[in-house]
Amino acid sequence: MALLFLILAVCTGSGLSESPTGVRLVRGPHRCEGRVEIERMGHWGTVCDDGWDMKDVGVLCRELGCGAAKGTPSGYLYKPSAGNEQRVLTQLVNCTGMEKMLSECEQDEDVFDCSHKEDAGASCENPDIPLPPVPESVRLVDGPGRCKGRVEIQYQGKWNTVCKTGWNLKSAKVVCRQLGCGRAINTQKSCDKSTQGKGPIWQSQIACLGQEVVLQDCHSGPWEKNNCTHAEDTWVDCEDPLELKLVGGHSRCSGRLQVLHHGMWGSVCNDGWGEQEDQVVCKQMGCGKSLSPSMKERKIFGPGVGRIWLDDVDCSGNEQSLELCQHRFWGRHDCTHEEDVAVICSD
Ligand SMILES: *[C@@H]1O[C@H](CO)[C@@H](O)[C@H](O)[C@H]1NC(C)=O
Ligand SMILES: *[C@@H]1O[C@H](CO)[C@@H](O)[C@H](O)[C@H]1NC(C)=O
């Protein structure tokens, strides 16, 4: 038991500590040259060129996977220049040249005198390192339910695990949102052998700001051999999603729809309910496809009792969870239990 706790402590210890500060080059001819932008609290701003030199550019080029430093051009020359709505986030950067990331360098964030005419720019040697592919889809596997598990990214039909290096809670937040799973609670290494992956490992670091709707919108580092093993696979725990059940049928995949809210089960009104909403429920419950039952077939599951939680539910059909569909505020409706939704799925 003590050993188990020790393992847990080791594995969860680094859970929330890493927080890569975003940095990028914009408006240049390629991703390895342009005006320097850094991210702070979800906003991208510029860097004043006070003291900006080849050592600083060297760190930046390395961080971006762009090879060696070539020059320190003025960031103002890359058009369109930064506008007034964008802030200068740091007055001075002073790297020793040994740092791995610009955020590790000495910086003076107290910006007292700098206009966008003094924005720093950078030019690096190697623009040819391929950009990482854009993930097609993401899932959480080998956990208890679809909202907790090892992160896997789909690309060209293959599922890849993701290395914990460079991954943080902001990226987990985006995954949870994308999957319709509520808030991100924790992210850590998937340290138990039984929950480690076996397939390919994604060879790029993903760094989200946290507001992105899907992982595809997050910043990806260069695609290069990252030497990660499955012992560093990333695991994410999201809040439990909206819980559903189907009652009154022969199996858990058909019946009157019940949703759990504030610890209480209630029904869903069929105003505006149709094929797309059926499909989302069947998919969320792992019950295959909707059999598109007639009104009469649905009626046999009878009217429910108690709360009517949802009304005017409107899905596009692609949602992973009913929670992601539009609906009236919880508990607001103009329905009776005669209008309770029932669903019949194929499995
Ligand atoms: C940068 O840091 C070095 C020491 O690491 C210091 O000698 C130098 O004065 C600093 N430069 C500026 C402009 O602050
Ligand atoms: C991976 O290992 C190789 C060889 O040991 C090394 O040259 C390379 O820099 C490593 N890559 C990373 C991202 O650590």
Side-chain angles (χ1 to χ4, degrees):
M1 204 61 186
L3 182 62
L4 179 66
F5 277 128
L6 182 66
I7 292 171
L8 278 176
V10 169
C11 288
T12 51
S14 66
L16 308 177
S17 62
E18 289 143 77
S19 131
T21 308
V23 49
R24 65 186 181 191
L25 295 172
V26 301
R27 307 281 177 243
H30 49 73
R31 70 178 190 87
C32 294
E33 179 185 341
R35 182 165 60 247
V36 183
E37 284 192 352
I38 55 177
E39 180 263 324
R40 202 130 319 128
M41 320 275 270
H43 296 281
W44 291 94
T46 61
V47 170
C48 193
D49 65 4
D50 286 6
W52 183 251
D53 62 16
M54 287 294 270
K55 280 192 240 159
D56 306 319
V57 175
V59 172
L60 178 60
C61 293
R62 194 157 56 236
E63 178 173 0
L64 294 175
C66 287
K70 235 169 68 180
T72 56
S74 161
Y76 185 64
L77 299 178
Y78 298 97
K79 303 293 179 185
S81 316
N84 284 335
E85 74 291 348
Q86 202 176 18
R87 286 181 50 204
V88 182
L89 287 178
T90 183
Q91 178 83 32
L92 174 94
V93 177
N94 188 12
C95 306
T96 65
M98 303 303 290
E99 297 88 347
K100 274 218 192 82
M101 301 165 87
L102 204 65
S103 60
E104 293 168 9
C105 301
E106 181 196 342
Q107 294 195 24
D108 182 357
E109 295 179 10
D110 185 15
V111 179
F112 49 88
D113 176 26
C114 201
S115 80
H116 282 309
K117 290 204 167 136
E118 298 163 78
D119 281 344
S123 155
C124 314
E125 176 190 63
N126 188 353
D128 298 326
I129 294 173
L131 279 176
V134 177
E136 287 159 8
S137 182
V138 63
R139 67 179 183 185
L140 298 174
V141 293
D142 281 349
R146 56 176 204 91
C147 291
K148 291 182 171 61
R150 184 177 67 248
V151 181
E152 292 196 349
I153 287 176
Q154 190 180 36
Y155 184 70
Q156 293 187 337
K158 286 211 177 72
W159 288 96
N160 302 257
T161 62
V162 178
C163 188
K164 179 69 182 68
T165 308
W167 178 272
N168 66 10
L169 196 65
K170 290 182 196 165
S171 305
K173 197 170 154 181
V174 175
V175 169
C176 294
R177 178 179 306 127
Q178 181 171 2
L179 295 175
C181 289
R183 286 185 320 121
I185 298 169
N186 185 31
T187 185
Q188 63 189 61
K189 279 183 204 164
S190 193
C191 52
D192 182 346
K193 260 251 179 305
S194 68
T195 60
Q196 288 169 9
K198 295 193 178 64
I201 298 173
W202 196 249
Q203 301 290 324
S204 160
Q205 284 189 21
I206 296 179
C208 307
L209 301 181
Q211 294 100 325
E212 296 89 345
V213 175
V214 292
L215 203 63
Q216 288 86 318
D217 296 339
C218 297
H219 171 81
S220 285
W223 188 258
E224 55 182 4
K225 203 162 169 32
N226 61 16
N227 302 335
C228 288
T229 68
H230 281 301
E232 293 153 274
D233 284 350
T234 299
W235 177 279
V236 167
D237 290 312
C238 311
E239 231 171 26
D240 279 331
L242 179 61
E243 256 189 88
L244 309 181
K245 65 180 178 182
L246 296 171
V247 299
H250 294 303
S251 77
R252 64 170 202 91
C253 290
S254 67
R256 191 158 35 77
L257 177 60
Q258 295 272 284
V259 299
L260 187 65
H261 183 61
H262 283 332
M264 243 184 298
W265 290 98
S267 42
V268 178
C269 179
N270 67 11
D271 287 349
W273 190 272
E275 180 66 24
Q276 286 156 352
E277 289 74 21
D278 276 345
Q279 297 297 4
V280 172
V281 169
C282 291
K283 185 165 51 181
Q284 178 174 352
M285 299 196 64
C287 286
K289 291 209 176 325
S290 164
L291 294 181
S292 310
S294 66
M295 210 57 175
K296 205 169 137 207
E297 288 171 295
R298 295 180 198 249
K299 281 282 178 215
I300 61 167
F301 303 111
V305 290
R307 305 298 288 256
I308 298 175
W309 275 133
L310 293 178
D311 187 15
D312 291 330
V313 179
D314 183 13
C315 310
S316 75
N318 298 322
E319 294 88 351
Q320 298 287 331
S321 149
L322 201 62
E323 200 177 357
L324 293 176
C325 301
Q326 307 212 334
H327 55 77
R328 281 209 212 186
F329 195 75
W330 289 91
R332 300 255 170 87
H333 65 87
D334 52 6
C335 306
T336 69
H337 279 295
E338 292 299 323
E339 297 160 84
D340 282 354
V341 164
V343 176
I344 303 180
C345 310
S346 59
D347 290 7

